[in-house]
Amino acid sequence: MGENMKKIVLIMLILSMLTGCTKNKEQPNDDVDEKREVEQPKQEEEKYIDNNPIGLSFYMYYGQNINRKRLETYQAPFVIGQDLCSLEIYYTKDDVLDINSQKNLWNQYYQNYNNIDNYKIGYKISFTTINNENISKYILSPKDTDEVFNYIQLYLYDDINVQDGAWYSHITEEEYNDNTILTSIKLTGSDYTNQIASDITLEVFTYDADDFDEEGNYRGNSKTSIIISKA
């Protein structure tokens, strides 16, 4: 065998050895789907919008033949066992109401709106004591009055769901239900009323299920207030 032939055989042998040592690349298995974690876009918190159209005000009843007047301030003695005031609510901001029964006036202004049956009436009372304690309480049903009862007695009335001419009293927690309409509120002096150092701020508002924030505070726009100061 010539030298050239030996070199060719040697080269072929080396190439054969190199080819045998080379590993085939692993091919992907098309039958198996890779699980990939897909990051879901975060849903933005739904922006709160209050579409409540109701305007409302506090009114005082002065007598059968006297017009009711809208009140934003009121003065009364803060005396134990003595009524400070009794206030009626109507869905209007008129300064003076026509002479009529409470139920007729309520229905008159209620009918100015459409699709408001899901809204309820609530209150909030706020004041400061002589010990510089700031008291603020939402009143959505009769049981909510318990925490402030020793300072000021609050009585809630449903003046609409009663028979015409029938005597009725304030609503109790047992009587309160989804159909109750808290159309008036009475404030009466209690054991610690003389320890109230500030004016009393009373707010009334209408609300539905989403009108309170995470901390339980009313955030709607259907509200008004009255300042009750010590005479």
mmCIF file of all heavy atoms in Angstrom, residues 107-125:
data_model
loop_
_atom_site.group_PDB
_atom_site.id
_atom_site.type_symbol
_atom_site.label_atom_id
_atom_site.label_comp_id
_atom_site.label_asym_id
_atom_site.label_seq_id
_atom_site.Cartn_x
_atom_site.Cartn_y
_atom_site.Cartn_z
ATOM 1 N N ASN A 107 -95.090 61.765 49.209
ATOM 2 C CA ASN A 107 -95.407 61.159 47.915
ATOM 3 C C ASN A 107 -95.257 62.158 46.769
ATOM 4 O O ASN A 107 -94.834 61.798 45.664
ATOM 5 C CB ASN A 107 -96.831 60.587 47.936
ATOM 6 C CG ASN A 107 -96.932 59.355 48.812
ATOM 7 O OD1 ASN A 107 -95.996 58.577 48.921
ATOM 8 N ND2 ASN A 107 -98.079 59.173 49.454
ATOM 9 N N GLN A 108 -95.597 63.399 47.037
ATOM 10 C CA GLN A 108 -95.477 64.431 46.007
ATOM 11 C C GLN A 108 -94.036 64.562 45.513
ATOM 12 O O GLN A 108 -93.785 64.582 44.299
ATOM 13 C CB GLN A 108 -95.957 65.773 46.569
ATOM 14 C CG GLN A 108 -95.727 66.959 45.637
ATOM 15 C CD GLN A 108 -96.106 68.285 46.289
ATOM 16 O OE1 GLN A 108 -96.973 68.327 47.173
ATOM 17 N NE2 GLN A 108 -95.469 69.364 45.879
ATOM 18 N N TYR A 109 -93.102 64.607 46.429
ATOM 19 C CA TYR A 109 -91.703 64.781 46.030
ATOM 20 C C TYR A 109 -91.051 63.458 45.629
ATOM 21 O O TYR A 109 -90.161 63.437 44.771
ATOM 22 C CB TYR A 109 -90.925 65.456 47.160
ATOM 23 C CG TYR A 109 -91.321 66.908 47.332
ATOM 24 C CD1 TYR A 109 -92.125 67.311 48.396
ATOM 25 C CD2 TYR A 109 -90.910 67.853 46.405
ATOM 26 C CE1 TYR A 109 -92.501 68.634 48.543
ATOM 27 C CE2 TYR A 109 -91.292 69.189 46.537
ATOM 28 C CZ TYR A 109 -92.079 69.574 47.613
ATOM 29 O OH TYR A 109 -92.463 70.884 47.742
ATOM 30 N N TYR A 110 -91.488 62.382 46.215
ATOM 31 C CA TYR A 110 -90.966 61.064 45.844
ATOM 32 C C TYR A 110 -91.248 60.762 44.379
ATOM 33 O O TYR A 110 -90.417 60.178 43.672
ATOM 34 C CB TYR A 110 -91.599 60.006 46.743
ATOM 35 C CG TYR A 110 -91.028 58.622 46.582
ATOM 36 C CD1 TYR A 110 -89.906 58.214 47.295
ATOM 37 C CD2 TYR A 110 -91.611 57.705 45.696
ATOM 38 C CE1 TYR A 110 -89.374 56.946 47.145
ATOM 39 C CE2 TYR A 110 -91.089 56.434 45.540
ATOM 40 C CZ TYR A 110 -89.976 56.057 46.267
ATOM 41 O OH TYR A 110 -89.458 54.798 46.096
ATOM 42 N N GLN A 111 -92.414 61.162 43.916
ATOM 43 C CA GLN A 111 -92.822 60.877 42.539
ATOM 44 C C GLN A 111 -92.100 61.735 41.499
ATOM 45 O O GLN A 111 -92.266 61.526 40.296
ATOM 46 C CB GLN A 111 -94.336 61.051 42.411
ATOM 47 C CG GLN A 111 -95.120 59.989 43.174
ATOM 48 C CD GLN A 111 -96.611 60.270 43.242
ATOM 49 O OE1 GLN A 111 -97.107 61.236 42.641
ATOM 50 N NE2 GLN A 111 -97.341 59.451 43.989
ATOM 51 N N ASN A 112 -91.286 62.679 41.964
ATOM 52 C CA ASN A 112 -90.482 63.467 41.022
ATOM 53 C C ASN A 112 -89.303 62.681 40.473
ATOM 54 O O ASN A 112 -88.624 63.136 39.551
ATOM 55 C CB ASN A 112 -89.961 64.740 41.699
ATOM 56 C CG ASN A 112 -91.056 65.767 41.914
ATOM 57 O OD1 ASN A 112 -92.075 65.754 41.232
ATOM 58 N ND2 ASN A 112 -90.839 66.650 42.877
ATOM 59 N N TYR A 113 -89.045 61.507 41.050
ATOM 60 C CA TYR A 113 -87.903 60.684 40.641
ATOM 61 C C TYR A 113 -88.391 59.354 40.079
ATOM 62 O O TYR A 113 -89.493 58.898 40.386
ATOM 63 C CB TYR A 113 -86.983 60.418 41.833
ATOM 64 C CG TYR A 113 -86.410 61.665 42.459
ATOM 65 C CD1 TYR A 113 -87.050 62.277 43.534
ATOM 66 C CD2 TYR A 113 -85.228 62.220 41.987
ATOM 67 C CE1 TYR A 113 -86.525 63.422 44.115
ATOM 68 C CE2 TYR A 113 -84.689 63.361 42.569
ATOM 69 C CZ TYR A 113 -85.348 63.965 43.628
ATOM 70 O OH TYR A 113 -84.824 65.085 44.200
ATOM 71 N N ASN A 114 -87.533 58.726 39.300
ATOM 72 C CA ASN A 114 -87.811 57.391 38.764
ATOM 73 C C ASN A 114 -86.751 56.414 39.258
ATOM 74 O O ASN A 114 -85.581 56.763 39.426
ATOM 75 C CB ASN A 114 -87.792 57.418 37.225
ATOM 76 C CG ASN A 114 -88.897 58.278 36.646
ATOM 77 O OD1 ASN A 114 -90.036 58.229 37.104
ATOM 78 N ND2 ASN A 114 -88.561 59.074 35.637
ATOM 79 N N ASN A 115 -87.185 55.183 39.496
ATOM 80 C CA ASN A 115 -86.268 54.083 39.840
ATOM 81 C C ASN A 115 -85.393 54.400 41.050
ATOM 82 O O ASN A 115 -84.166 54.265 41.018
ATOM 83 C CB ASN A 115 -85.377 53.742 38.637
ATOM 84 C CG ASN A 115 -86.172 53.369 37.408
ATOM 85 O OD1 ASN A 115 -87.162 52.638 37.490
ATOM 86 N ND2 ASN A 115 -85.742 53.866 36.252
ATOM 87 N N ILE A 116 -86.020 54.814 42.145
ATOM 88 C CA ILE A 116 -85.256 55.102 43.365
ATOM 89 C C ILE A 116 -85.683 54.201 44.527
ATOM 90 O O ILE A 116 -85.329 54.461 45.677
ATOM 91 C CB ILE A 116 -85.389 56.582 43.778
ATOM 92 C CG1 ILE A 116 -86.860 56.951 44.062
ATOM 93 C CG2 ILE A 116 -84.778 57.501 42.738
ATOM 94 C CD1 ILE A 116 -87.021 58.311 44.717
ATOM 95 N N ASP A 117 -86.408 53.141 44.229
ATOM 96 C CA ASP A 117 -86.904 52.267 45.291
ATOM 97 C C ASP A 117 -85.785 51.548 46.034
ATOM 98 O O ASP A 117 -85.985 51.075 47.149
ATOM 99 C CB ASP A 117 -87.887 51.231 44.733
ATOM 100 C CG ASP A 117 -89.200 51.865 44.307
ATOM 101 O OD1 ASP A 117 -89.503 52.971 44.787
ATOM 102 O OD2 ASP A 117 -89.910 51.262 43.486
ATOM 103 N N ASN A 118 -84.614 51.443 45.417
ATOM 104 C CA ASN A 118 -83.520 50.724 46.071
ATOM 105 C C ASN A 118 -82.756 51.597 47.061
ATOM 106 O O ASN A 118 -81.904 51.105 47.807
ATOM 107 C CB ASN A 118 -82.535 50.188 45.039
ATOM 108 C CG ASN A 118 -81.931 51.285 44.172
ATOM 109 O OD1 ASN A 118 -82.656 52.170 43.719
ATOM 110 N ND2 ASN A 118 -80.643 51.239 43.938
ATOM 111 N N TYR A 119 -83.050 52.899 47.108
ATOM 112 C CA TYR A 119 -82.357 53.788 48.036
ATOM 113 C C TYR A 119 -83.078 53.852 49.379
ATOM 114 O O TYR A 119 -84.305 53.909 49.440
ATOM 115 C CB TYR A 119 -82.248 55.199 47.452
ATOM 116 C CG TYR A 119 -81.340 55.287 46.264
ATOM 117 C CD1 TYR A 119 -81.854 55.457 44.983
ATOM 118 C CD2 TYR A 119 -79.957 55.194 46.414
ATOM 119 C CE1 TYR A 119 -81.015 55.536 43.876
ATOM 120 C CE2 TYR A 119 -79.113 55.269 45.313
ATOM 121 C CZ TYR A 119 -79.650 55.440 44.058
ATOM 122 O OH TYR A 119 -78.824 55.504 42.974
ATOM 123 N N LYS A 120 -82.283 53.854 50.450
ATOM 124 C CA LYS A 120 -82.820 53.962 51.796
ATOM 125 C C LYS A 120 -82.297 55.241 52.450
ATOM 126 O O LYS A 120 -81.318 55.842 51.989
ATOM 127 C CB LYS A 120 -82.433 52.740 52.628
ATOM 128 C CG LYS A 120 -83.000 51.430 52.064
ATOM 129 C CD LYS A 120 -82.682 50.240 52.947
ATOM 130 C CE LYS A 120 -83.475 50.259 54.253
ATOM 131 N NZ LYS A 120 -84.933 50.101 54.016
ATOM 132 N N ILE A 121 -82.935 55.640 53.547
ATOM 133 C CA ILE A 121 -82.531 56.848 54.273
ATOM 134 C C ILE A 121 -81.691 56.458 55.479
ATOM 135 O O ILE A 121 -82.054 55.564 56.243
ATOM 136 C CB ILE A 121 -83.765 57.650 54.726
ATOM 137 C CG1 ILE A 121 -84.531 58.180 53.504
ATOM 138 C CG2 ILE A 121 -83.352 58.810 55.630
ATOM 139 C CD1 ILE A 121 -85.819 58.905 53.863
ATOM 140 N N GLY A 122 -80.567 57.147 55.642
ATOM 141 C CA GLY A 122 -79.717 56.954 56.810
ATOM 142 C C GLY A 122 -79.334 58.293 57.408
ATOM 143 O O GLY A 122 -79.510 59.355 56.784
ATOM 144 N N TYR A 123 -78.797 58.251 58.635
ATOM 145 C CA TYR A 123 -78.397 59.462 59.331
ATOM 146 C C TYR A 123 -76.982 59.290 59.883
ATOM 147 O O TYR A 123 -76.470 58.179 60.020
ATOM 148 C CB TYR A 123 -79.344 59.757 60.498
ATOM 149 C CG TYR A 123 -80.779 59.996 60.092
ATOM 150 C CD1 TYR A 123 -81.677 58.940 59.966
ATOM 151 C CD2 TYR A 123 -81.250 61.285 59.841
ATOM 152 C CE1 TYR A 123 -83.003 59.157 59.601
ATOM 153 C CE2 TYR A 123 -82.567 61.511 59.473
ATOM 154 C CZ TYR A 123 -83.440 60.448 59.353
ATOM 155 O OH TYR A 123 -84.745 60.667 58.987
ATOM 156 N N LYS A 124 -76.372 60.409 60.208
ATOM 157 C CA LYS A 124 -75.092 60.403 60.913
ATOM 158 C C LYS A 124 -75.109 61.545 61.922
ATOM 159 O O LYS A 124 -75.433 62.687 61.579
ATOM 160 C CB LYS A 124 -73.931 60.585 59.931
ATOM 161 C CG LYS A 124 -72.559 60.577 60.597
ATOM 162 C CD LYS A 124 -71.462 60.844 59.577
ATOM 163 C CE LYS A 124 -70.095 60.855 60.229
ATOM 164 N NZ LYS A 124 -69.023 61.179 59.254
ATOM 165 N N ILE A 125 -74.759 61.239 63.167
ATOM 166 C CA ILE A 125 -74.724 62.255 64.211
ATOM 167 C C ILE A 125 -73.293 62.398 64.707
ATOM 168 O O ILE A 125 -72.571 61.409 64.863
ATOM 169 C CB ILE A 125 -75.682 61.905 65.375
ATOM 170 C CG1 ILE A 125 -75.767 63.077 66.357
ATOM 171 C CG2 ILE A 125 -75.315 60.601 66.055
ATOM 172 C CD1 ILE A 125 -76.890 62.947 67.364
#
